[in-house]
Amino acid sequence: MTVNRATSSFPVLSWMPVAAMGVVATTDVVAGPGVGFLPLVSLGPAFAGLVGGWRRTALIGAVALVLCVGLGLYDGLFEERRGFTAMASVAGVTGAGIAAAVMRGRREVELANVRSIAEVAQRVLLRPVPRTAGPLQAAVSYTSAVAEARIGGDLYEVVASPHGVRVIVGDVQGKGLAAVETAAVVLGAFREAAHDESDLVGLGERLERSVARELEGEKFVTAVLAEIGSDREVTLLNFGHPAPMVVRQDGSVDFPQPPSYALPLGLGAHGVEGPRPHQVAFAPGEQLLLFTDGVSEARDEGNSFYPLGERAHLLKDADAHGALDALREDLMRHAAGPPHDDAAMLLLRYHGHGEGKCAPGG
């Protein structure tokens, strides 16, 4: 059975048909037979057709016809054509309302089916990251700039490979379905190559070839790859993406920049040298936050960027998911409204060997 969203979200709408007929009936009785409010009884089935199902619309229409007969007899309108004209008006509006309710119900069923398929596609594309991977605890936050969508042009993934825990966070140029398709290409290539390639450079080259085959013109994907092994270091490979944030045990913050500028994925065919990997110390008790420019470039009403480094203290919650939720809520308050760009954040906490158990909920 289809539940009408308008009546479920705003219960007052379900009472509009009854209220309209009640007002018309009361006004007609008070004003007396000479005024002639009787045709306005059709407002009841008209409102019912807008906000209710076809059965309810038919019931309201039947009540409106009974009310029309009663008021017509009271006003003495059946001695002339006015009474029959009013009844025809109510019957016609009821029929139109029933037809509208049936068509709306079919569209709602189709929309529900499309949403179900979209949710499955979203879960396949952006799968939940593992709560633990090797010595790491992981949490992710994704906010799409498209209303009622859970995916867009930002992407992320965590893979526990034979070569260490490998991570990607990226941002596809553009928005809409084309960006989602490109994100799917990058994630598919990463999930396969993360297990096969022995180093990040080889992994990055595989991604470059995959993206170059799919993209046309000047389209591109910024991304940062990370590999965390057992040597208390994280190796980063940056394709024109914002540098991640490292939160040290003492609360200090670092944004490790790549040794040289590199073009995003999809532009490697221009003959420019690809990115070089660089190592950053990453010890137990420290945190690594990878994010997209929807986070770092979020602006407030004064056009100021979000001060991510100054908000690192929000990640002190023992639960990684709770910490990331606190940071996301602060980002939304800073932006003071719906996001203008997709915003993805992936938080990795290094617990070390023998300390990989998650906090509750993590």
Side-chain angles (χ1 to χ4, degrees):
M1 182 178 67
T2 301
V3 179
N4 185 263
R5 291 182 178 272
T7 55
S8 61
S9 302
F10 304 98
V12 67
L13 296 179
S14 64
W15 292 99
M16 286 179 60
V18 176
M21 292 190 298
V23 170
V24 171
T26 302
T27 304
D28 188 88
V29 170
V30 172
V35 179
F37 286 101
L38 191 58
L40 294 179
V41 173
S42 60
L43 289 174
F47 283 131
L50 291 174
V51 300
W54 73 266
R55 292 184 179 85
R56 186 171 183 274
T57 302
L59 177 60
I60 295 294
V63 172
L65 283 173
V66 172
L67 183 61
C68 187
V69 171
L71 291 176
L73 293 174
Y74 170 77
D75 292 336
L77 299 181
F78 288 107
E79 299 175 0
E80 49 184 293
R81 294 181 179 178
R82 292 173 60 192
F84 297 101
T85 301
M87 289 189 63
S89 174
V90 172
V93 172
T94 299
I98 291 174
V102 170
M103 294 176 63
R104 190 187 62 251
R106 290 175 179 174
R107 288 195 298 268
E108 289 180 352
V109 171
E110 292 174 356
L111 180 59
N113 291 336
V114 169
R115 283 177 172 168
S116 298
I117 295 172
E119 288 178 358
V120 173
Q122 289 169 345
R123 287 195 296 268
V124 171
L125 179 57
L126 290 181
R127 302 179 301 196
V129 300
R131 294 191 173 187
T132 57
L136 305 175
Q137 180 183 359
V140 69
S141 169
Y142 191 102
T143 304
S144 174
V146 180
E148 297 188 8
R150 296 179 185 173
I151 55 176
D154 288 1
L155 56 98
Y156 59 83
E157 184 59 289
V158 177
V159 174
S161 77
H163 316 287
V165 178
R166 289 178 166 175
V167 178
I168 184 173
V169 169
D171 185 0
V172 179
Q173 178 202 27
K175 295 181 174 63
L177 292 178
V180 174
E181 291 174 358
T182 302
V185 170
V186 176
L187 287 173
F190 176 80
R191 287 164 181 163
E192 178 180 359
H195 291 279
D196 298 338
E197 299 295 335
S198 59
D199 56 51
L200 278 190
V201 173
L203 175 54
E205 291 174 349
R206 283 273 293 272
L207 294 182
E208 177 63 49
R209 291 193 295 270
S210 297
V211 173
R213 283 195 299 266
E214 297 294 330
L215 298 185
E216 298 178 355
E218 297 298 321
K219 295 182 179 180
F220 58 84
V221 181
T222 68
V224 59
L225 309 182
E227 179 181 288
I228 300 95
S230 57
D231 52 2
R232 299 194 175 190
E233 282 186 338
V234 55
T235 301
L236 300 173
L237 191 66
N238 197 315
F239 291 87
H241 196 79
M245 179 175 72
V246 180
V247 183
R248 304 298 180 188
Q249 294 188 58
D250 60 2
S252 61
V253 173
D254 183 24
F255 291 87
Q257 300 295 322
S260 60
Y261 176 82
L263 291 176
L265 293 167
L267 301 180
H270 291 251
V272 179
E273 182 182 358
R276 288 180 293 168
H278 60 290
Q279 286 73 37
V280 178
F282 188 41
E286 297 182 336
Q287 303 182 79
L288 177 67
L289 180 71
L290 299 95
F291 54 89
T292 60
D293 59 9
V295 177
S296 56
E297 296 181 3
R299 299 173 183 264
D300 61 11
E301 296 177 347
N303 211 32
S304 299
F305 289 121
Y306 182 64
L308 180 59
E310 299 175 10
R311 299 294 197 271
H313 65 277
L314 296 174
L315 297 175
K316 63 184 179 181
D317 194 310
D319 176 20
H321 295 273
L324 203 54
D325 286 342
L327 187 62
R328 178 181 179 275
E329 291 173 2
D330 185 71
L331 175 65
M332 294 299 101
R333 285 193 295 269
H334 176 86
H340 299 290
D341 194 7
D342 300 330
M345 294 184 288
L346 177 61
L347 178 64
L348 301 175
R349 285 183 168 177
Y350 198 143
H351 288 279
H353 297 293
E355 303 177 56
K357 294 183 178 180
C358 296

